Amino acid sequence: MTSTPEPTPQPVPEEAVRLAEALIFASTEPVSARRLADLLEGRQIMPAGEEDLGAFVAAVLAALVQRYEGKGVFPVEVAGGWQFRTAPDLAPLLTRVLERPRRLPRAVMETLAIIAYHQPCTRVEIEEIRGVSLGQNVLDTLIEAELIAPRGRKEVPGRPVLWGTTPDFLRHFGLRALSDLPRREELMVDIPQNPADLGTGQSAIPFNAGEGQNQDAAVEADAPSASIAADGEVAQVAVSAPEGP
């Protein structure tokens, strides 16, 4: 009994790859696979006999990624879409000629980390986790940077505002989704038993989430900490481990 040979994958049309390249390059926001699929379907570029649009889009993106291997820029999946980023090995060279971004204060980074891991959460809940009062200027800084946004109100007396992160947060830190944040067990660090070791501080767990543009945002944490990489740089921020698995 002879087995039926598997069909040979059809080559990806050059026009489809060039369209994907142009769309991602021209967009200020990450380009979703759905948006690219709509463009390719509208142009009727799919090869004859190809019925799975999702698989065709995946093949186009794979061909585009392969095309940019070893280049100074490359397409990367971030915040639910695709965007061009600079190669991480070139970041040290670019910092000498490009203006470094504004540095976020420690209190701002700590607050952002708490919101990221405990969202949606209220201002009072943030203050309980940090152990200090939260200044309005801290929230204003995060709102102005479009890193957090209101997520409704909590159904308790006073109905306080619930805060959560935005798609810009994912894009800024090079995350595809919130599930890419370090897990709870990765946040756990050993507490020194020797009082003499307390003065040395605890090391953060590096989390290389972003690749591309360099970001100068690094703060030291004296408590158990999580490290969020800001487009290639590491920012150490104090945050308590989230509840649950």
Side-chain angles (χ1 to χ4, degrees):
M1 180 177 179
T2 58
S3 58
T4 304
E6 296 183 359
T8 304
Q10 300 188 45
V12 177
E14 175 65 16
E15 184 181 0
V17 180
R18 293 180 66 239
L19 264 178
E21 179 182 29
L23 177 61
I24 295 173
F25 179 82
S27 299
T28 58
E29 303 290 333
V31 175
S32 66
R34 179 70 262 176
R35 184 179 173 191
L36 178 58
D38 290 341
L39 175 63
L40 297 177
E41 188 175 30
R43 298 285 297 181
Q44 299 181 347
I45 298 179
M46 288 181 59
E50 180 67 61
E51 298 180 355
D52 191 339
L53 180 59
F56 177 64
V57 171
V60 171
L61 289 170
L64 183 61
V65 170
Q66 184 178 14
R67 174 172 297 184
Y68 276 86
E69 287 183 354
K71 303 293 185 180
V73 297
F74 67 105
V76 59
E77 189 176 5
V78 59
W82 290 81
Q83 200 170 45
F84 277 108
R85 295 289 178 94
T86 54
D89 60 298
L90 298 180
L93 300 176
L94 295 178
T95 56
R96 301 176 185 176
V97 296
L98 297 179
E99 182 180 355
R100 297 178 74 86
R102 177 170 62 96
R103 181 176 220 161
L104 293 178
R106 168 177 172 168
V108 175
M109 291 299 295
E110 289 180 353
T111 301
L112 178 60
I114 291 171
I115 294 174
Y117 282 96
H118 296 268
Q119 62 183 302
C121 55
T122 66
R123 179 171 181 166
V124 171
E125 291 168 342
I126 296 171
E127 292 175 337
E128 290 177 349
I129 295 172
R130 288 191 67 221
V132 296
S133 60
L134 178 62
Q136 183 60 39
N137 63 314
V138 173
L139 286 177
D140 289 342
T141 299
L142 292 172
I143 295 172
E144 181 182 354
E146 298 182 346
L147 296 175
I148 65 171
R151 290 290 179 265
R153 292 182 177 273
K154 190 169 185 178
E155 294 303 325
V156 296
R159 300 187 71 241
V161 174
L162 290 166
W163 296 98
T165 56
T166 64
D168 277 346
F169 168 82
L170 298 176
R171 185 169 66 253
H172 183 78
F173 291 103
L175 302 172
R176 290 176 296 178
L178 289 174
S179 58
D180 286 344
L181 287 168
R183 298 186 304 274
R184 174 180 177 178
E185 51 268 27
E186 293 175 331
L187 299 179
M188 299 301 184
V189 294
D190 294 331
I191 299 177
Q193 299 299 322
N194 185 356
D197 296 336
L198 293 175
T200 60
Q202 299 178 13
S203 60
I205 304 171
F207 174 55
N208 299 321
E211 295 182 349
Q213 301 170 354
N214 188 41
Q215 176 76 20
D216 180 21
V219 292
E220 296 180 356
D222 299 325
S225 57
S227 297
I228 299 179
D231 288 344
E233 291 288 328
V234 175
Q236 301 175 8
V237 292
V239 59
S240 62
E243 296 296 333

